[in-house]
C-alpha cells in the first residue's frame, strides 16, 4: 500500500492483530505494550497507523494510557464485549464452549423478551420485514451460507421492531452469536434447516400478537441452538484429539 494511502486510512488489520494478542492472553491484563516505534517495526506500518490502531482499541476498552507509564492492557472487566468487532476477534481466538455459552446466555436474556415486545408493539410493516427474511431462509434450502444472511435479518428485525434503542443496540451481539453458530453449524450438517420450523413458530406467534407465545417460541429456538453448539464443539474437540493422536503416531 502506498504510504500516502496508509496515512489516510485507519489500519484495521493492525488493530485486529494487536487485539488478538490481547484476547488470546499473549499480552495479558496489566502488560505494558511496546512503544509506538517498536509496534510500527513489528507490524511493518507507520507510527500514524499504530496510533490509529491503538485509538480503535482504546475505544473498545482493551487498552489505556497512563502518564509516564505507557499504554497497558486493561482488565477484562473493562472490555466492551458488546462491540461487534471485539466479539468477532474473541471468537476467532477463543472458540470455547464457555464463550459460546456466555453468548447464548445473553441471547436468552434479550431475545425472548424482544419477541414479546415485538408481538405487542411491532407494526405490520415491521412484521412483514421479519416474514420476508423468514421466506428467504426457507428458499435457501440446505445452503447454509444462503440461509445465514436472512437469518440475521430475521433476528435483527425482531430487535428493531421493539422500537427500543437499547434492545436494537444488542443487534451486534446477537449477530456475532449467530455468526458463531453458523461457523459451528458446518460441523452439524443440516442444522440451519432444522431450525426453520422454530423460526416459523416465532413468526406465527408474533403475527398472532401473542407476547407469551412468542417468548416461549424463542426459548425453544434457544434450546435447539444450545444443543447444536454443544454437539458441534464436542465434535470439533473429538476431531482435534484424533488429529493429535494421528500426529503422535506419525512421529513415533
Amino acid at each position: 500500500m502506498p504510504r500516502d494511502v496508509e496515512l489516510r486510512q485507519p489500519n484495521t488489520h493492525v488493530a485486529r492483530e494487536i487485539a488478538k494478542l490481547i484476547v488470546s492472553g499473549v499480552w495479558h491484563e496489566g502488560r505494558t505494550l511496546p512503544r509506538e516505534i517498536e509496534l510500527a517495526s513489528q507490524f511493518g506500518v507507520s507510527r500514524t497507523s499504530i496510533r490509529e490502531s491503538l485509538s480503535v482499541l482504546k475505544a473498545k476498552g482493551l487498552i489505556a494510557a497512563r502518564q509516564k507509564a505507557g499504554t497497558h492492557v486493561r482488565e477484562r472487566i473493562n472490555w466492551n464485549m458488546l462491540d461487534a468487532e471485539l466479539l468477532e476477534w474473541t471468537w476467532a481466538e477463543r472458540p470455547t464452549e464457555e464463550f459460546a455459552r456466555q453468548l447464548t446466555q445473553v441471547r436468552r436474556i434479550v431475545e425472548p423478551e424482544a419477541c414479546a415486545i415485538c408481538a405487542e408493539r411491532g407494526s405490520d410493516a415491521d412484521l412483514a420485514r421479519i416474514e420476508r427474511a423468514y421466506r428467504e431462509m426457507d428458499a435457501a434450502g440446505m445452503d447454509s451460507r444462503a440461509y445465514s444472511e436472512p437469518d440475521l435479518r430475521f433476528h435483527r428485525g425482531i430487535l428493531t421492531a421493539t422500537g427500543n434503542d437499547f434492545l436494537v443496540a444488542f443487534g451486534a451481539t446477537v449477530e456475532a452469536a449467530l455468526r458463531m453458530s453458523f461457523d459451528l453449524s458446518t460441523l452439524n450438517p443440516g442444522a440451519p434447516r432444522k431450525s426453520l420450523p422454530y423460526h416459523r413458530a416465532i413468526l406465527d406467534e408474533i403475527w398472532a400478537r401473542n407476547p407469551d407465545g412468542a417468548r416461549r417460541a424463542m426459548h425453544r429456538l434457544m434450546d435447539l441452538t444450545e444443543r447444536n453448539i454443544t454437539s458441534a464443539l464436542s465434535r470439533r474437540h473429538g476431531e482435534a484429539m484424533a488429529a493429535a493422536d494421528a500426529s503422535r503416531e506419525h512421529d513415533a
Side-chain angles (χ1 to χ4, degrees), residues 35-182:
R35 294 178 301 161
E36 284 182 5
I37 192 169
E38 295 168 340
L39 290 171
S41 175
Q42 178 177 344
F43 293 102
V45 298
S46 70
R47 292 180 68 177
T48 299
S49 288
I50 291 298
R51 290 191 200 103
E52 291 172 343
S53 299
L54 295 181
S55 293
V56 169
L57 300 182
K58 286 175 184 175
K60 298 180 188 301
L62 289 176
I63 60 175
R66 284 193 293 248
Q67 191 172 12
K68 298 182 180 180
T71 301
H72 67 281
V73 178
R74 301 183 73 190
E75 293 181 357
R76 190 177 186 84
I77 193 172
N78 295 307
W79 299 0
N80 180 11
M81 291 305 299
L82 297 182
D83 180 88
E85 280 187 322
L86 182 52
L87 282 167
E88 178 188 339
W89 298 340
T90 303
W91 172 246
E93 294 303 306
R94 299 174 60 246
T96 64
E97 186 169 353
E98 173 60 17
F99 185 66
R101 185 192 67 78
Q102 290 180 11
L103 275 179
T104 305
Q105 192 174 58
V106 171
R107 290 187 65 191
R108 271 201 184 275
I109 293 169
V110 173
E111 290 196 82
E113 291 308 312
C115 276
I117 296 171
C118 175
E120 189 173 10
R121 304 180 188 172
S123 68
D124 286 350
D126 289 330
L127 273 56
R129 281 191 291 272
I130 298 168
E131 176 149 4
R132 282 196 296 274
Y134 169 81
R135 293 190 182 281
E136 289 181 36
M137 292 162 63
D138 191 15
M142 296 300 290
D143 186 339
S144 59
R145 181 168 297 184
Y147 186 98
S148 65
E149 290 306 319
D151 193 1
L152 287 171
R153 291 200 301 277
F154 182 95
H155 289 271
R156 295 202 78 154
I158 290 171
L159 293 171
T160 300
T162 65
N164 183 311
D165 291 341
F166 296 98
L167 286 174
V168 172
F170 273 99
T173 306
V174 170
E175 181 170 339
L178 284 169
R179 292 196 185 280
M180 174 200 70
S181 298
F182 298 149

Side-chain angles (χ1 to χ4, degrees), residues 104 108 147 188 190-199 217-231:
T104 305
R108 271 201 184 275
Y147 186 98
N188 291 329
R193 185 70 186 182
K194 292 175 183 176
S195 75
L196 193 64
Y198 293 81
H199 287 83
M218 180 57 81
H219 272 299
R220 287 193 290 271
L221 176 58
M222 291 293 97
D223 290 340
L224 176 67
T225 299
E226 286 187 357
R227 291 195 298 270
N228 285 338
I229 289 173
T230 299
S231 174

